[in-house]
Amino acid sequence: MLARKMMLRRRLQKARQLGRVWLSKEPDEIRLHQLEALRKQWAEAAHNVPWYRNLVAEGRAPERIETFEQYAEEVPVLSKGDIRDNPDLFRRAEPPDGISRTGGSTSEPLKLGQFRGESIDHTAANQWVGRFANGMREDSRILLAWGHAHRLGTGLAALAKGGLRKAKDRALGYLRVDAYQMGREAVAEYYRRMAAFRPEVVIGYSCALDQFARLSREAGRRADDDCHIRLVVACSEMFPRPDSRETLAEFFGAPVVMEYGGEDGGVSAYELHAESRYRVFWWSHLLEVEEHKDSGPLLITSLTRRYLPLFRYRVGDEIVGASRKGVGILEFDAVAGRSNDFLELQDGTSIHSLSLLRCVRQEAVRNIQLVVEGDGMRLRLAASKLDDTAIERIRGRLGKLHPSLRDIPIDMVEDIETTIAGKRRWIIRRNNASS
């Protein structure tokens, strides 16, 4: 408990320091800081990470970074496929302190090595800076609608993770509800717990919050009748419907902002309610729009030390309305990227599509796709080798989500289905179902 309190104190201190300079620095000062950090991280990666060392040795990237313009012109774009297909080239001589697995709305999960404390620089401190700037207090009580991946595990390890998570939540002042389970009965129970807890801030997956608000509203409930909520933060995915933001603001009676980030790139920007725009966390990330336009695919560069540093990484999202000064951007209007969705099972239970991905990502699977056909579903797995034991582990996790999912058809394929534009969607809906 003492160690957790000390870690919390360090995160708060870092967030306070960063918050004081986030919006006050002049663009020229920011660019000087970013260029110095970029030079340092590139030199370190080119020396210690085989992928980047090879780029330099083969003349496909410069040995030193002199200017932003040179960086954008001479350093190639990094894709998820580069990392997925060449894992040995992204391993350092020293072992990582931990492993992070990506999931989210992409169907290409990645395993990423991490240094200890890395998430503080790339996620935790930045999250708090963004939330504090939108009115959250350090002692705010928080309702968190998040994933419960430890519930899909088995044995003592899963129990230990679950117990540790509960202890951390108590220390942080969180009430956590399961974003994967958002059926009517579950939502009614979550609302009861929320009303008793009386949070001031609500944070969760965008689709989960949307589902919670709509089902609660249909049952005649309004959060602002029972709570005094100051802020709603939507994370992890785009809103599922055009009126999602308005629905959340009306139901919770509070401003709604979005957090931008992911397991691979970290939390790199936050929407400010007062401005209705995203501001970039410029000390930890350099953001570009591919081909240097005001809208288009987003490229992310990490400016703090990471086990797997990312340079000009195509994260898979598109943004619009970027304000550029040269190569990098410091703010933008919106993210035009992907969204997850909920799936309604035959007994009326609603589950988050992301929860199915969580059941698979521990295995040696390249790509994952869910095909929804009428009332039925099929899971497609692209894997070079997956034995019966691995399939049984997957089915065991699926059964924990809902008994009917244990026997879902699983197809082993060379590659998942693509759209005409070549995009690999996580969910394919057929029989006139919306996609």
Side-chain angles (χ1 to χ4, degrees):
M1 183 65 70
L2 179 60
R4 285 194 290 271
K5 288 183 177 180
M6 291 179 64
M7 180 179 294
L8 176 60
R9 191 176 300 116
R10 287 198 300 270
R11 291 180 179 180
L12 281 171
Q13 182 179 11
K14 187 174 183 69
R16 292 189 202 106
Q17 293 171 346
L18 295 172
R20 286 193 286 268
V21 300
W22 183 29
L23 307 177
S24 62
K25 287 283 187 181
E26 293 296 325
D28 288 342
E29 292 181 273
I30 293 172
R31 284 177 62 81
L32 285 174
H33 170 89
Q34 289 187 312
L35 185 58
E36 181 179 352
L38 176 61
R39 288 169 172 165
K40 178 180 179 180
Q41 298 308 322
W42 177 258
E44 194 276 338
H47 183 71
N48 294 305
V49 181
W51 176 268
Y52 300 112
R53 186 166 61 237
N54 291 350
L55 288 180
V56 172
E58 295 166 6
R60 292 187 290 145
E63 183 177 355
R64 291 180 296 276
I65 301 301
E66 303 295 344
T67 66
F68 287 116
E69 291 72 24
Q70 175 224 10
Y71 174 68
E73 182 177 344
E74 298 183 13
V75 174
V77 170
L78 177 69
S79 71
K80 292 177 185 289
D82 292 330
I83 301 174
R84 184 194 64 233
D85 298 339
N86 302 278
D88 291 342
L89 296 181
F90 292 94
R91 293 193 182 104
R92 296 168 178 263
E94 59 184 305
D97 296 316
I99 298 293
S100 172
R101 295 177 176 86
T102 69
S105 55
T106 174
S107 61
E108 299 180 87
L110 301 174
K111 292 183 179 180
L112 308 173
Q114 285 190 327
F115 286 128
R116 183 175 292 107
E118 186 176 302
S119 63
I120 294 177
D121 289 330
H122 269 73
T123 297
N126 288 0
Q127 285 176 324
W128 285 20
V129 169
R131 293 167 189 176
F132 292 156
N134 279 293
M136 190 181 92
R137 301 195 308 266
E138 292 183 9
D139 60 350
S140 290
R141 295 164 66 83
I142 298 171
L143 170 68
L144 191 64
W146 213 251
H148 284 56
H150 64 270
R151 289 187 177 178
L152 304 177
T154 58
L156 295 176
L159 291 174
K161 287 182 180 179
L164 180 60
R165 182 68 270 166
K166 290 179 181 178
K168 288 182 178 179
D169 287 348
R170 283 195 298 271
L172 293 169
Y174 291 169
L175 169 65
R176 183 181 294 251
V177 300
D178 193 347
Y180 293 161
Q181 303 283 351
M182 281 287 168
R184 295 182 186 279
E185 292 185 6
V187 165
E189 172 62 16
Y190 298 161
Y191 187 91
R192 183 193 66 77
R193 293 170 60 193
M194 180 185 72
F197 184 71
R198 296 183 64 82
E200 297 166 287
V201 177
V202 175
I203 302 170
Y205 294 167
S206 302
C207 289
L209 295 180
D210 180 272
Q211 182 88 337
F212 180 83
R214 291 179 193 277
L215 291 181
S216 296
R217 190 174 60 179
E218 288 178 12
R221 307 182 191 99
R222 282 178 55 98
D224 58 350
D225 289 340
D226 298 298
C227 306
H228 182 58
I229 295 171
R230 300 172 179 269
L231 176 67
V232 178
V233 180
C235 311
S236 182
E237 55 204 350
M238 298 300 298
F239 285 125
R241 298 173 176 85
D243 67 340
S244 291
R245 186 187 294 270
E246 291 74 17
T247 296
L248 293 177
E250 187 273 336
F251 172 74
F252 286 109
V256 178
V257 299
M258 295 198 77
E259 171 185 295
Y260 182 72
E263 290 286 348
D264 42 8
V267 175
S268 57
Y270 233 88
E271 188 177 21
L272 289 179
H273 174 66
E275 299 181 359
S276 297
R277 281 172 66 80
Y278 289 80
R279 291 290 197 106
V280 175
F281 295 126
W282 47 263
W283 52 81
S284 59
H285 295 81
L286 172 66
L287 269 57
E288 303 172 62
V289 179
E290 200 162 352
E291 298 183 0
H292 310 299
K293 298 180 179 180
D294 294 334
S295 301
L298 184 65
L299 304 179
I300 289 180
T301 293
S302 48
L303 296 179
T304 58
R305 187 169 183 262
R306 302 186 66 183
Y307 184 88
L308 198 169
L310 302 174
F311 297 95
R312 310 200 73 219
Y313 174 63
R314 187 185 290 118
V315 70
D317 290 319
E318 297 194 2
I319 63 170
V320 297
S323 295
R324 294 187 297 109
K325 184 174 182 181
V327 170
I329 64 173
L330 296 179
E331 50 188 287
F332 54 93
D333 286 339
V335 181
R338 305 152 300 216
S339 74
N340 296 309
D341 203 358
F342 275 86
L343 302 166
E344 185 168 338
L345 304 182
Q346 289 186 346
D347 66 356
T349 300
S350 287
I351 64 169
H352 199 297
S353 63
L354 180 58
S355 63
L356 275 77
L357 182 62
R358 300 277 188 182
C359 293
V360 178
R361 70 178 191 175
Q362 298 95 325
E363 309 298 339
V365 175
R366 294 192 307 274
N367 286 311
I368 305 163
Q369 191 169 66
L370 182 69
V371 180
V372 181
E373 300 178 295
D375 293 331
M377 293 183 289
R378 305 183 70 86
L379 197 59
R380 289 176 171 169
L381 306 180
S384 56
K385 185 178 180 181
L386 210 62
D387 59 24
D388 292 342
T389 302
I391 294 293
E392 187 59 28
R393 287 196 297 266
I394 292 172
R395 290 197 180 281
R397 298 181 195 112
L398 290 169
K400 288 189 175 186
L401 286 179
H402 193 276
S404 68
L405 294 176
R406 181 175 178 84
D407 297 320
I408 184 175
I410 297 178
D411 300 327
M412 305 303 297
V413 297
E414 287 295 320
D415 197 4
I416 62 175
E417 184 176 326
T418 62
T419 66
I420 295 176
K423 294 183 178 180
R424 289 166 168 78
R425 291 185 177 177
W426 154 230
I427 299 181
I428 300 291
R429 297 184 186 273
R430 292 179 175 154
N431 295 348
N432 298 322
S434 61
S435 59

